[in-house]
Amino acid sequence: FGAVSIFRGTVMSHDDQKELMKEAFREAAKEFMQDQMAKFGRWSLHTIAAAGVVALLYFILQMSGWHR
């Protein structure tokens, strides 16, 4: 017995169902990884910018005569 496809109302074999599920999982995993990389990129950019501001502030304070 085959299952009825929700897209066309046709009968799909078990192998076709497995391939459809694999493709759906691959697409979901790909989207998840893209979202995670976008979040990581945003956080790493903010971290680099904050480190640059701190380094600039430290340099200015050192040059203006601030000592330990």
Side-chain angles (χ1 to χ4, degrees), residues 1-66:
F1 295 99
V4 176
S5 170
I6 60 172
F7 299 111
R8 297 188 194 113
T10 59
V11 176
M12 295 177 64
S13 70
H14 183 66
D15 291 337
D16 290 340
Q17 286 179 341
K18 284 176 64 176
E19 286 301 316
L20 184 63
M21 291 301 289
K22 283 182 184 179
E23 185 61 34
F25 179 77
R26 284 186 197 119
E27 186 66 27
K30 182 178 176 182
E31 288 178 15
F32 174 77
M33 290 305 295
Q34 287 175 346
D35 290 344
Q36 295 304 311
M37 289 305 292
K39 289 177 187 176
F40 175 75
R42 183 179 67 232
W43 281 105
S44 63
L45 181 61
H46 288 166
T47 302
I48 291 169
V53 168
V54 169
L56 181 62
L57 182 61
Y58 179 77
F59 177 73
I60 290 170
L61 290 173
Q62 285 293 326
M63 295 305 293
S64 65
W66 175 67

